[in-house]
mmCIF file of all heavy atoms in Angstrom:
data_model
loop_
_atom_site.group_PDB
_atom_site.id
_atom_site.type_symbol
_atom_site.label_atom_id
_atom_site.label_comp_id
_atom_site.label_asym_id
_atom_site.label_seq_id
_atom_site.Cartn_x
_atom_site.Cartn_y
_atom_site.Cartn_z
ATOM 1 N N LEU A 8 -4.315 -8.351 -3.523
ATOM 2 C CA LEU A 8 -3.813 -9.467 -4.307
ATOM 3 C C LEU A 8 -3.933 -9.076 -5.772
ATOM 4 O O LEU A 8 -4.902 -8.417 -6.152
ATOM 5 C CB LEU A 8 -4.726 -10.654 -3.966
ATOM 6 C CG LEU A 8 -4.689 -11.919 -4.757
ATOM 7 C CD1 LEU A 8 -3.311 -12.498 -4.689
ATOM 8 C CD2 LEU A 8 -5.689 -12.891 -4.136
ATOM 9 N N ILE A 9 -2.938 -9.446 -6.567
ATOM 10 C CA ILE A 9 -3.043 -9.216 -8.014
ATOM 11 C C ILE A 9 -2.945 -10.567 -8.718
ATOM 12 O O ILE A 9 -2.061 -11.372 -8.412
ATOM 13 C CB ILE A 9 -1.989 -8.186 -8.514
ATOM 14 C CG1 ILE A 9 -2.241 -7.828 -9.982
ATOM 15 C CG2 ILE A 9 -0.555 -8.647 -8.294
ATOM 16 C CD1 ILE A 9 -1.535 -6.539 -10.420
ATOM 17 N N VAL A 10 -3.899 -10.844 -9.599
ATOM 18 C CA VAL A 10 -3.890 -12.101 -10.354
ATOM 19 C C VAL A 10 -4.010 -11.811 -11.845
ATOM 20 O O VAL A 10 -4.458 -10.740 -12.251
ATOM 21 C CB VAL A 10 -5.031 -13.080 -9.961
ATOM 22 C CG1 VAL A 10 -4.853 -13.621 -8.577
ATOM 23 C CG2 VAL A 10 -6.393 -12.456 -10.132
ATOM 24 N N GLY A 11 -3.630 -12.793 -12.628
ATOM 25 C CA GLY A 11 -3.721 -12.650 -14.078
ATOM 26 C C GLY A 11 -2.823 -13.695 -14.700
ATOM 27 O O GLY A 11 -1.972 -14.272 -14.012
ATOM 28 N N PRO A 12 -2.996 -13.960 -15.988
ATOM 29 C CA PRO A 12 -2.185 -14.994 -16.627
ATOM 30 C C PRO A 12 -0.696 -14.637 -16.633
ATOM 31 O O PRO A 12 -0.353 -13.449 -16.593
ATOM 32 C CB PRO A 12 -2.737 -15.043 -18.059
ATOM 33 C CG PRO A 12 -3.424 -13.748 -18.264
ATOM 34 C CD PRO A 12 -3.923 -13.306 -16.927
ATOM 35 N N ALA A 15 1.003 -11.188 -17.997
ATOM 36 C CA ALA A 15 0.052 -10.069 -18.029
ATOM 37 C C ALA A 15 0.663 -8.780 -17.476
ATOM 38 O O ALA A 15 0.061 -7.720 -17.574
ATOM 39 C CB ALA A 15 -1.211 -10.419 -17.252
ATOM 40 N N GLY A 16 1.842 -8.891 -16.889
ATOM 41 C CA GLY A 16 2.501 -7.694 -16.356
ATOM 42 C C GLY A 16 2.244 -7.470 -14.877
ATOM 43 O O GLY A 16 2.360 -6.346 -14.381
ATOM 44 N N LYS A 17 1.934 -8.528 -14.161
ATOM 45 C CA LYS A 17 1.620 -8.424 -12.735
ATOM 46 C C LYS A 17 2.766 -7.856 -11.911
ATOM 47 O O LYS A 17 2.555 -7.010 -11.057
ATOM 48 C CB LYS A 17 1.246 -9.792 -12.144
ATOM 49 C CG LYS A 17 -0.003 -10.408 -12.691
ATOM 50 C CD LYS A 17 -0.329 -11.688 -11.943
ATOM 51 C CE LYS A 17 0.753 -12.758 -12.058
ATOM 52 N NZ LYS A 17 0.846 -13.383 -13.387
ATOM 53 N N GLN A 20 3.224 -4.038 -12.269
ATOM 54 C CA GLN A 20 2.123 -3.306 -11.643
ATOM 55 C C GLN A 20 2.123 -3.504 -10.135
ATOM 56 O O GLN A 20 1.782 -2.585 -9.380
ATOM 57 C CB GLN A 20 0.778 -3.747 -12.248
ATOM 58 C CG GLN A 20 0.639 -3.405 -13.725
ATOM 59 C CD GLN A 20 0.703 -1.901 -13.991
ATOM 60 O OE1 GLN A 20 0.367 -1.083 -13.142
ATOM 61 N NE2 GLN A 20 1.142 -1.532 -15.183
ATOM 62 N N ALA A 21 2.515 -4.686 -9.685
ATOM 63 C CA ALA A 21 2.535 -4.973 -8.245
ATOM 64 C C ALA A 21 3.490 -4.023 -7.529
ATOM 65 O O ALA A 21 3.169 -3.474 -6.475
ATOM 66 C CB ALA A 21 2.946 -6.428 -8.000
ATOM 67 N N LEU A 24 1.928 -0.500 -7.402
ATOM 68 C CA LEU A 24 0.773 -0.451 -6.512
ATOM 69 C C LEU A 24 1.182 -0.517 -5.039
ATOM 70 O O LEU A 24 0.637 0.187 -4.190
ATOM 71 C CB LEU A 24 -0.110 -1.663 -6.782
ATOM 72 C CG LEU A 24 -1.424 -1.474 -7.477
ATOM 73 C CD1 LEU A 24 -2.183 -2.793 -7.437
ATOM 74 C CD2 LEU A 24 -2.244 -0.364 -6.836
ATOM 75 N N ARG A 27 2.340 2.703 -3.837
ATOM 76 C CA ARG A 27 1.231 3.629 -3.619
ATOM 77 C C ARG A 27 0.541 3.411 -2.265
ATOM 78 O O ARG A 27 0.146 4.348 -1.584
ATOM 79 C CB ARG A 27 0.224 3.478 -4.763
ATOM 80 C CG ARG A 27 -0.930 4.424 -4.608
ATOM 81 C CD ARG A 27 -1.991 4.280 -5.681
ATOM 82 N NE ARG A 27 -3.201 4.886 -5.160
ATOM 83 C CZ ARG A 27 -4.424 4.515 -5.442
ATOM 84 N NH1 ARG A 27 -4.630 3.534 -6.290
ATOM 85 N NH2 ARG A 27 -5.442 5.115 -4.903
ATOM 86 N N TYR A 28 0.405 2.150 -1.873
ATOM 87 C CA TYR A 28 -0.285 1.852 -0.614
ATOM 88 C C TYR A 28 0.666 1.712 0.581
ATOM 89 O O TYR A 28 0.227 1.456 1.696
ATOM 90 C CB TYR A 28 -1.146 0.589 -0.762
ATOM 91 C CG TYR A 28 -2.399 0.844 -1.567
ATOM 92 C CD1 TYR A 28 -2.437 0.575 -2.931
ATOM 93 C CD2 TYR A 28 -3.532 1.398 -0.966
ATOM 94 C CE1 TYR A 28 -3.575 0.829 -3.677
ATOM 95 C CE2 TYR A 28 -4.677 1.658 -1.707
ATOM 96 C CZ TYR A 28 -4.691 1.378 -3.063
ATOM 97 O OH TYR A 28 -5.815 1.640 -3.797
ATOM 98 N N ALA A 113 -9.174 -6.526 -1.497
ATOM 99 C CA ALA A 113 -9.502 -6.494 -2.923
ATOM 100 C C ALA A 113 -8.544 -7.371 -3.709
ATOM 101 O O ALA A 113 -7.400 -7.599 -3.301
ATOM 102 C CB ALA A 113 -9.446 -5.057 -3.449
ATOM 103 N N VAL A 114 -9.034 -7.858 -4.833
ATOM 104 C CA VAL A 114 -8.236 -8.679 -5.738
ATOM 105 C C VAL A 114 -8.282 -8.015 -7.112
ATOM 106 O O VAL A 114 -9.352 -7.867 -7.698
ATOM 107 C CB VAL A 114 -8.814 -10.110 -5.836
ATOM 108 C CG1 VAL A 114 -8.031 -10.932 -6.854
ATOM 109 C CG2 VAL A 114 -8.811 -10.786 -4.468
ATOM 110 N N VAL A 115 -7.122 -7.609 -7.609
ATOM 111 C CA VAL A 115 -7.053 -6.998 -8.934
ATOM 112 C C VAL A 115 -6.811 -8.102 -9.956
ATOM 113 O O VAL A 115 -5.838 -8.850 -9.857
ATOM 114 C CB VAL A 115 -5.895 -5.972 -9.015
ATOM 115 C CG1 VAL A 115 -5.747 -5.444 -10.441
ATOM 116 C CG2 VAL A 115 -6.105 -4.840 -8.029
ATOM 117 N N LEU A 116 -7.713 -8.213 -10.919
ATOM 118 C CA LEU A 116 -7.515 -9.161 -12.014
ATOM 119 C C LEU A 116 -7.024 -8.391 -13.226
ATOM 120 O O LEU A 116 -7.713 -7.539 -13.765
ATOM 121 C CB LEU A 116 -8.834 -9.882 -12.359
ATOM 122 C CG LEU A 116 -8.794 -10.698 -13.661
ATOM 123 C CD1 LEU A 116 -7.790 -11.839 -13.583
ATOM 124 C CD2 LEU A 116 -10.185 -11.238 -13.993
ATOM 125 N N LEU A 117 -5.793 -8.690 -13.627
ATOM 126 C CA LEU A 117 -5.204 -8.045 -14.801
ATOM 127 C C LEU A 117 -5.516 -8.925 -16.003
ATOM 128 O O LEU A 117 -4.958 -10.012 -16.142
ATOM 129 C CB LEU A 117 -3.699 -7.927 -14.565
ATOM 130 C CG LEU A 117 -2.949 -6.806 -15.266
ATOM 131 C CD1 LEU A 117 -3.608 -5.452 -15.037
ATOM 132 C CD2 LEU A 117 -1.510 -6.769 -14.772
ATOM 133 N N GLU A 118 -6.414 -8.447 -16.851
ATOM 134 C CA GLU A 118 -6.865 -9.261 -17.967
ATOM 135 C C GLU A 118 -6.007 -9.017 -19.215
ATOM 136 O O GLU A 118 -5.692 -7.878 -19.538
ATOM 137 C CB GLU A 118 -8.328 -8.953 -18.279
ATOM 138 C CG GLU A 118 -9.233 -9.276 -17.100
ATOM 139 C CD GLU A 118 -10.698 -9.091 -17.418
ATOM 140 O OE1 GLU A 118 -11.119 -7.936 -17.614
ATOM 141 O OE2 GLU A 118 -11.418 -10.095 -17.458
ATOM 142 N N ALA A 119 -5.650 -10.111 -19.901
ATOM 143 C CA ALA A 119 -4.878 -10.001 -21.141
ATOM 144 C C ALA A 119 -5.106 -11.271 -21.949
ATOM 145 O O ALA A 119 -5.225 -12.350 -21.368
ATOM 146 C CB ALA A 119 -3.395 -9.849 -20.827
ATOM 147 N N ASP A 120 -5.193 -11.153 -23.270
ATOM 148 C CA ASP A 120 -5.479 -12.374 -24.026
ATOM 149 C C ASP A 120 -4.218 -13.211 -24.246
ATOM 150 O O ASP A 120 -3.091 -12.736 -24.189
ATOM 151 C CB ASP A 120 -6.279 -12.091 -25.297
ATOM 152 C CG ASP A 120 -5.437 -11.665 -26.479
ATOM 153 O OD1 ASP A 120 -4.238 -12.028 -26.562
ATOM 154 O OD2 ASP A 120 -5.975 -10.975 -27.330
ATOM 155 N N VAL A 124 -0.042 -12.398 -24.242
ATOM 156 C CA VAL A 124 0.860 -12.732 -23.134
ATOM 157 C C VAL A 124 1.959 -13.704 -23.560
ATOM 158 O O VAL A 124 3.100 -13.572 -23.118
ATOM 159 C CB VAL A 124 0.117 -13.253 -21.874
ATOM 160 C CG1 VAL A 124 -0.778 -12.185 -21.296
ATOM 161 C CG2 VAL A 124 -0.642 -14.529 -22.119
ATOM 162 N N ARG A 127 4.553 -11.634 -25.233
ATOM 163 C CA ARG A 127 5.341 -10.868 -24.260
ATOM 164 C C ARG A 127 6.381 -11.743 -23.573
ATOM 165 O O ARG A 127 7.519 -11.347 -23.370
ATOM 166 C CB ARG A 127 4.426 -10.324 -23.153
ATOM 167 C CG ARG A 127 3.621 -9.121 -23.552
ATOM 168 C CD ARG A 127 3.006 -8.549 -22.296
ATOM 169 N NE ARG A 127 1.888 -7.671 -22.587
ATOM 170 C CZ ARG A 127 1.177 -7.065 -21.654
ATOM 171 N NH1 ARG A 127 1.453 -7.248 -20.381
ATOM 172 N NH2 ARG A 127 0.188 -6.267 -21.972
ATOM 173 N N TYR A 152 -2.442 -22.096 -15.331
ATOM 174 C CA TYR A 152 -3.220 -20.911 -14.932
ATOM 175 C C TYR A 152 -4.707 -21.126 -15.235
ATOM 176 O O TYR A 152 -5.564 -20.899 -14.381
ATOM 177 C CB TYR A 152 -2.715 -19.654 -15.662
ATOM 178 C CG TYR A 152 -3.564 -18.437 -15.350
ATOM 179 C CD1 TYR A 152 -3.370 -17.724 -14.164
ATOM 180 C CD2 TYR A 152 -4.599 -18.029 -16.200
ATOM 181 C CE1 TYR A 152 -4.166 -16.633 -13.843
ATOM 182 C CE2 TYR A 152 -5.396 -16.946 -15.876
ATOM 183 C CZ TYR A 152 -5.176 -16.250 -14.703
ATOM 184 O OH TYR A 152 -5.980 -15.182 -14.379
ATOM 185 N N ILE A 160 -11.132 -16.642 -9.856
ATOM 186 C CA ILE A 160 -11.726 -15.349 -10.209
ATOM 187 C C ILE A 160 -13.192 -15.297 -9.782
ATOM 188 O O ILE A 160 -13.645 -14.334 -9.162
ATOM 189 C CB ILE A 160 -11.581 -15.106 -11.733
ATOM 190 C CG1 ILE A 160 -10.102 -14.965 -12.086
ATOM 191 C CG2 ILE A 160 -12.366 -13.879 -12.169
ATOM 192 C CD1 ILE A 160 -9.802 -15.071 -13.579
ATOM 193 N N GLU A 164 -15.074 -12.977 -7.082
ATOM 194 C CA GLU A 164 -16.197 -12.175 -7.554
ATOM 195 C C GLU A 164 -17.393 -12.380 -6.626
ATOM 196 O O GLU A 164 -18.072 -11.427 -6.245
ATOM 197 C CB GLU A 164 -16.553 -12.584 -8.985
ATOM 198 C CG GLU A 164 -17.493 -11.608 -9.658
ATOM 199 C CD GLU A 164 -17.248 -11.578 -11.159
ATOM 200 O OE1 GLU A 164 -17.232 -12.661 -11.780
ATOM 201 O OE2 GLU A 164 -17.038 -10.478 -11.694
ATOM 202 N N ILE A 168 -15.059 -8.809 -3.950
ATOM 203 C CA ILE A 168 -13.798 -8.076 -3.798
ATOM 204 C C ILE A 168 -12.984 -8.025 -5.093
ATOM 205 O O ILE A 168 -11.849 -7.558 -5.099
ATOM 206 C CB ILE A 168 -12.924 -8.653 -2.649
ATOM 207 C CG1 ILE A 168 -12.604 -10.134 -2.884
ATOM 208 C CG2 ILE A 168 -13.607 -8.447 -1.300
ATOM 209 C CD1 ILE A 168 -11.573 -10.695 -1.884
ATOM 210 N N LEU A 169 -13.572 -8.510 -6.197
ATOM 211 C CA LEU A 169 -12.819 -8.542 -7.454
ATOM 212 C C LEU A 169 -12.877 -7.213 -8.205
ATOM 213 O O LEU A 169 -13.930 -6.606 -8.331
ATOM 214 C CB LEU A 169 -13.350 -9.652 -8.362
ATOM 215 C CG LEU A 169 -12.486 -9.913 -9.601
ATOM 216 C CD1 LEU A 169 -11.206 -10.662 -9.216
ATOM 217 C CD2 LEU A 169 -13.251 -10.694 -10.664
ATOM 218 N N VAL A 170 -11.714 -6.791 -8.695
ATOM 219 C CA VAL A 170 -11.606 -5.574 -9.501
ATOM 220 C C VAL A 170 -10.974 -5.977 -10.832
ATOM 221 O O VAL A 170 -9.819 -6.395 -10.875
ATOM 222 C CB VAL A 170 -10.688 -4.539 -8.794
ATOM 223 C CG1 VAL A 170 -10.499 -3.307 -9.660
ATOM 224 C CG2 VAL A 170 -11.247 -4.157 -7.435
ATOM 225 N N ARG A 171 -11.744 -5.884 -11.931
ATOM 226 C CA ARG A 171 -11.227 -6.284 -13.244
ATOM 227 C C ARG A 171 -10.578 -5.098 -13.949
ATOM 228 O O ARG A 171 -11.188 -4.036 -14.044
ATOM 229 C CB ARG A 171 -12.368 -6.760 -14.149
ATOM 230 C CG ARG A 171 -12.875 -8.118 -13.836
ATOM 231 C CD ARG A 171 -14.049 -8.440 -14.772
ATOM 232 N NE ARG A 171 -14.745 -9.623 -14.295
ATOM 233 C CZ ARG A 171 -14.423 -10.868 -14.659
ATOM 234 N NH1 ARG A 171 -13.480 -11.066 -15.549
ATOM 235 N NH2 ARG A 171 -15.069 -11.898 -14.166
ATOM 236 N N VAL A 172 -9.360 -5.321 -14.462
ATOM 237 C CA VAL A 172 -8.677 -4.239 -15.164
ATOM 238 C C VAL A 172 -8.087 -4.775 -16.468
ATOM 239 O O VAL A 172 -7.484 -5.850 -16.491
ATOM 240 C CB VAL A 172 -7.550 -3.646 -14.282
ATOM 241 C CG1 VAL A 172 -6.790 -2.579 -15.042
ATOM 242 C CG2 VAL A 172 -8.111 -3.090 -12.984
ATOM 243 N N ASP A 173 -8.261 -4.019 -17.544
ATOM 244 C CA ASP A 173 -7.694 -4.387 -18.835
ATOM 245 C C ASP A 173 -6.174 -4.181 -18.776
ATOM 246 O O ASP A 173 -5.711 -3.066 -18.547
ATOM 247 C CB ASP A 173 -8.334 -3.506 -19.920
ATOM 248 C CG ASP A 173 -7.801 -3.803 -21.312
ATOM 249 O OD1 ASP A 173 -6.923 -4.692 -21.440
ATOM 250 O OD2 ASP A 173 -8.253 -3.150 -22.260
ATOM 251 N N GLY A 174 -5.424 -5.255 -18.971
ATOM 252 C CA GLY A 174 -3.970 -5.197 -18.853
ATOM 253 C C GLY A 174 -3.251 -4.792 -20.129
ATOM 254 O O GLY A 174 -2.025 -4.730 -20.159
ATOM 255 N N LEU A 175 -4.001 -4.531 -21.192
ATOM 256 C CA LEU A 175 -3.362 -4.133 -22.450
ATOM 257 C C LEU A 175 -3.159 -2.626 -22.502
ATOM 258 O O LEU A 175 -4.082 -1.857 -22.261
ATOM 259 C CB LEU A 175 -4.209 -4.570 -23.644
ATOM 260 C CG LEU A 175 -4.089 -6.023 -24.077
ATOM 261 C CD1 LEU A 175 -4.698 -6.220 -25.453
ATOM 262 C CD2 LEU A 175 -2.632 -6.483 -24.094
ATOM 263 N N GLY A 176 -1.931 -2.205 -22.832
ATOM 264 C CA GLY A 176 -1.633 -0.778 -22.896
ATOM 265 C C GLY A 176 -0.295 -0.511 -22.241
ATOM 266 O O GLY A 176 0.390 -1.437 -21.806
ATOM 267 N N GLY A 177 0.079 0.753 -22.190
ATOM 268 C CA GLY A 177 1.353 1.123 -21.595
ATOM 269 C C GLY A 177 1.340 0.901 -20.086
ATOM 270 O O GLY A 177 0.272 0.809 -19.475
ATOM 271 N N ILE A 178 2.530 0.798 -19.508
ATOM 272 C CA ILE A 178 2.656 0.537 -18.070
ATOM 273 C C ILE A 178 1.928 1.590 -17.229
ATOM 274 O O ILE A 178 1.164 1.247 -16.324
ATOM 275 C CB ILE A 178 4.155 0.478 -17.674
ATOM 276 C CG1 ILE A 178 4.784 -0.805 -18.255
ATOM 277 C CG2 ILE A 178 4.341 0.515 -16.165
ATOM 278 C CD1 ILE A 178 6.281 -0.929 -18.051
ATOM 279 N N ASP A 179 2.144 2.871 -17.544
ATOM 280 C CA ASP A 179 1.514 3.932 -16.763
ATOM 281 C C ASP A 179 0.002 3.975 -16.957
ATOM 282 O O ASP A 179 -0.745 4.238 -16.019
ATOM 283 C CB ASP A 179 2.123 5.295 -17.121
ATOM 284 C CG ASP A 179 3.572 5.394 -16.660
ATOM 285 O OD1 ASP A 179 3.918 4.726 -15.660
ATOM 286 O OD2 ASP A 179 4.358 6.110 -17.307
ATOM 287 N N GLU A 180 -0.386 3.700 -18.180
ATOM 288 C CA GLU A 180 -1.817 3.692 -18.506
ATOM 289 C C GLU A 180 -2.532 2.594 -17.691
ATOM 290 O O GLU A 180 -3.586 2.822 -17.097
ATOM 291 C CB GLU A 180 -1.918 3.390 -20.009
ATOM 292 C CG GLU A 180 -3.261 3.555 -20.644
ATOM 293 C CD GLU A 180 -3.221 3.082 -22.116
ATOM 294 O OE1 GLU A 180 -2.110 2.836 -22.652
ATOM 295 O OE2 GLU A 180 -4.304 2.950 -22.696
ATOM 296 N N VAL A 181 -1.943 1.413 -17.657
ATOM 297 C CA VAL A 181 -2.538 0.307 -16.905
ATOM 298 C C VAL A 181 -2.519 0.624 -15.402
ATOM 299 O O VAL A 181 -3.496 0.375 -14.688
ATOM 300 C CB VAL A 181 -1.804 -1.025 -17.210
ATOM 301 C CG1 VAL A 181 -2.319 -2.146 -16.322
ATOM 302 C CG2 VAL A 181 -1.964 -1.397 -18.680
ATOM 303 N N ALA A 182 -1.421 1.224 -14.938
ATOM 304 C CA ALA A 182 -1.313 1.587 -13.511
ATOM 305 C C ALA A 182 -2.433 2.551 -13.119
ATOM 306 O O ALA A 182 -3.037 2.415 -12.049
ATOM 307 C CB ALA A 182 0.058 2.205 -13.232
ATOM 308 N N GLU A 183 -2.710 3.513 -13.992
ATOM 309 C CA GLU A 183 -3.789 4.482 -13.747
ATOM 310 C C GLU A 183 -5.135 3.777 -13.631
ATOM 311 O O GLU A 183 -5.939 4.071 -12.755
ATOM 312 C CB GLU A 183 -3.886 5.470 -14.926
ATOM 313 C CG GLU A 183 -2.776 6.493 -14.987
ATOM 314 C CD GLU A 183 -2.922 7.541 -13.898
ATOM 315 O OE1 GLU A 183 -4.055 7.990 -13.681
ATOM 316 O OE2 GLU A 183 -1.907 7.865 -13.264
ATOM 317 N N ARG A 184 -5.352 2.843 -14.550
ATOM 318 C CA ARG A 184 -6.610 2.089 -14.559
ATOM 319 C C ARG A 184 -6.785 1.313 -13.255
ATOM 320 O O ARG A 184 -7.858 1.286 -12.671
ATOM 321 C CB ARG A 184 -6.578 1.065 -15.697
ATOM 322 C CG ARG A 184 -7.298 1.493 -16.933
ATOM 323 C CD ARG A 184 -7.199 0.375 -17.957
ATOM 324 N NE ARG A 184 -6.723 0.883 -19.214
ATOM 325 C CZ ARG A 184 -5.979 0.218 -20.085
ATOM 326 N NH1 ARG A 184 -5.600 -1.025 -19.839
ATOM 327 N NH2 ARG A 184 -5.608 0.774 -21.201
ATOM 328 N N ILE A 185 -5.699 0.670 -12.829
ATOM 329 C CA ILE A 185 -5.778 -0.128 -11.594
ATOM 330 C C ILE A 185 -6.085 0.783 -10.407
ATOM 331 O O ILE A 185 -6.967 0.488 -9.597
ATOM 332 C CB ILE A 185 -4.455 -0.894 -11.332
ATOM 333 C CG1 ILE A 185 -4.208 -1.927 -12.433
ATOM 334 C CG2 ILE A 185 -4.488 -1.574 -9.977
ATOM 335 C CD1 ILE A 185 -2.879 -2.671 -12.302
ATOM 336 N N SER A 186 -5.371 1.895 -10.325
ATOM 337 C CA SER A 186 -5.570 2.821 -9.215
ATOM 338 C C SER A 186 -7.008 3.309 -9.147
ATOM 339 O O SER A 186 -7.629 3.312 -8.081
ATOM 340 C CB SER A 186 -4.669 4.048 -9.369
ATOM 341 O OG SER A 186 -3.370 3.698 -9.027
ATOM 342 N N ALA A 187 -7.524 3.711 -10.300
ATOM 343 C CA ALA A 187 -8.891 4.239 -10.341
ATOM 344 C C ALA A 187 -9.896 3.166 -9.925
ATOM 345 O O ALA A 187 -10.798 3.422 -9.123
ATOM 346 C CB ALA A 187 -9.200 4.756 -11.743
ATOM 347 N N ALA A 188 -9.717 1.961 -10.453
ATOM 348 C CA ALA A 188 -10.667 0.886 -10.161
ATOM 349 C C ALA A 188 -10.601 0.465 -8.689
ATOM 350 O O ALA A 188 -11.617 0.213 -8.047
ATOM 351 C CB ALA A 188 -10.377 -0.305 -11.065
ATOM 352 N N LEU A 189 -9.386 0.434 -8.146
ATOM 353 C CA LEU A 189 -9.219 0.047 -6.744
ATOM 354 C C LEU A 189 -9.808 1.091 -5.797
ATOM 355 O O LEU A 189 -10.485 0.750 -4.827
ATOM 356 C CB LEU A 189 -7.729 -0.113 -6.426
ATOM 357 C CG LEU A 189 -7.175 -1.505 -6.261
ATOM 358 C CD1 LEU A 189 -5.713 -1.428 -5.881
ATOM 359 C CD2 LEU A 189 -7.962 -2.304 -5.218
ATOM 360 N N THR A 190 -9.531 2.341 -6.099
ATOM 361 C CA THR A 190 -10.063 3.415 -5.262
ATOM 362 C C THR A 190 -11.585 3.365 -5.241
ATOM 363 O O THR A 190 -12.215 3.525 -4.201
ATOM 364 C CB THR A 190 -9.574 4.796 -5.758
ATOM 365 O OG1 THR A 190 -8.156 4.762 -5.811
ATOM 366 C CG2 THR A 190 -10.016 5.905 -4.820
ATOM 367 N N ALA A 191 -12.154 3.086 -6.419
ATOM 368 C CA ALA A 191 -13.618 2.988 -6.497
ATOM 369 C C ALA A 191 -14.123 1.836 -5.631
ATOM 370 O O ALA A 191 -15.191 1.902 -5.034
ATOM 371 C CB ALA A 191 -14.053 2.792 -7.939
ATOM 372 N N LYS A 192 -13.315 0.783 -5.525
ATOM 373 C CA LYS A 192 -13.736 -0.409 -4.781
ATOM 374 C C LYS A 192 -13.538 -0.267 -3.279
ATOM 375 O O LYS A 192 -14.429 -0.583 -2.498
ATOM 376 C CB LYS A 192 -12.918 -1.610 -5.294
ATOM 377 C CG LYS A 192 -13.378 -2.931 -4.757
ATOM 378 C CD LYS A 192 -14.725 -3.239 -5.338
ATOM 379 C CE LYS A 192 -15.084 -4.685 -5.351
ATOM 380 N NZ LYS A 192 -16.373 -4.878 -6.043
#
Side-chain angles (χ1 to χ4, degrees):
L8 169 59
I9 187 163
V10 292
K17 296 185 299 289
Q20 296 298 333
L24 252 188
R27 181 183 161 211
Y28 286 95
V114 176
V115 174
L116 169 63
L117 207 51
E118 299 185 292
D120 84 27
V124 296
R127 283 191 198 179
Y152 176 81
I160 294 166
E164 193 149 51
I168 58 172
L169 189 75
V170 176
R171 284 178 193 271
V172 177
D173 180 0
L175 280 194
I178 290 175
D179 292 331
E180 190 185 349
V181 174
E183 287 288 317
R184 261 181 231 148
I185 295 176
S186 284
L189 254 183
T190 305
K192 188 69 157 185

